[in-house]
C-alpha cells in the first residue's frame, strides 16, 4: 500500500492551498484517511481525518478554516486549507488506516509535503 500526496507549497497569510492524497496497492478496505503535521512536540499532531462512514474530525487550530473530504471511488482524501496562518507552516503527512487483501489492518504514511505560509 502506498499513499501519494500532492499539493502544498508557498502561500501568503490568508491564502489557500489544497492537499491531495491517493491510496493505492492491494487495498481491501480503508478505515480512515487523514492528515497530520509535525507540530512542535515529539509526535505528529492530527490536523483532520475522516473515518469511513463517520464524521470528519478536526484539530481545534484548524476548525472553520480547513475542510477534509474523501473520494471513496478513488481512495483519495483532500484537505482544503483556507485562511492560512504563518503558524500553519509545517510538513504535512497523509495518513491511512488500511486493511489489505492479506487481512491485515495497518497504519500507512505518505511522504511529507511542505506547507509554508509567509506573512
Amino acid at each position: 500500500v502506498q499513499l501519494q500526496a500532492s499539493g502544498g507549497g508557498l502561500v501568503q497569510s490568508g491564502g489557500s492551498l489544497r492537499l491531495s492524497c491517493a491510496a493505492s496497492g492491494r487495498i481491501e478496505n480503508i478505515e480512515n484517511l487523514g492528515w497530520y503535521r509535525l507540530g512542535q512536540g515529539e509526535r505528529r499532531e492530527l490536523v483532520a481525518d475522516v473515518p469511513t462512514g463517520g464524521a470528519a474530525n478536526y484539530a481545534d487550530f484548524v476548525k472553520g478554516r480547513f475542510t477534509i473530504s474523501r473520494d471513496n471511488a478513488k481512495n483519495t482524501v483532500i484537505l482544503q486549507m483556507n485562511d492560512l496562518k504563518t503558524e500553519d507552516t509545517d510538513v504535512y503527512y497523509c495518513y491511512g488506516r488500511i486493511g489489505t487483501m492479506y487481512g491485515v489492518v495497518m497504519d500507512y504514511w505518505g511522504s511529507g509535503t511542505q506547507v509554508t505560509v509567509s506573512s
Side-chain angles (χ1 to χ4, degrees):
V1 174
Q2 292 183 330
L3 297 178
Q4 182 65 49
S6 61
L10 173 64
V11 66
Q12 287 189 327
S13 180
S16 298
L17 284 173
R18 183 173 182 263
L19 303 182
S20 179
C21 177
S24 63
R26 297 180 180 273
I27 296 171
E28 178 67 21
N29 66 290
I30 295 178
E31 295 188 358
N32 198 2
L33 289 174
W35 292 90
Y36 281 67
R37 66 189 193 187
L38 281 178
Q40 299 299 316
E42 296 180 352
R43 300 180 66 179
R44 295 171 184 173
E45 59 184 12
L46 175 69
V47 175
D49 67 3
V50 54
T52 299
N57 302 300
Y58 295 94
D60 287 344
F61 53 79
V62 303
K63 284 181 179 177
R65 300 187 298 122
F66 292 11
T67 302
I68 191 169
S69 60
R70 283 176 56 174
D71 182 338
N72 292 325
K74 297 180 180 179
N75 291 338
T76 299
V77 60
I78 306 288
L79 185 68
Q80 179 64 42
M81 304 184 291
N82 298 329
D83 189 23
L84 282 160
K85 306 178 185 300
T86 55
E87 52 263 42
D88 293 318
T89 295
D90 211 325
V91 179
Y92 287 71
Y93 293 89
C94 177
Y95 158 81
R97 186 161 182 81
I98 298 172
T100 70
M101 297 177 66
Y102 305 104
V104 178
V105 178
M106 292 178 59
D107 293 337
Y108 293 89
W109 296 92
S111 57
T113 184
Q114 178 70 45
V115 171
T116 302
V117 184
S118 63
S119 58

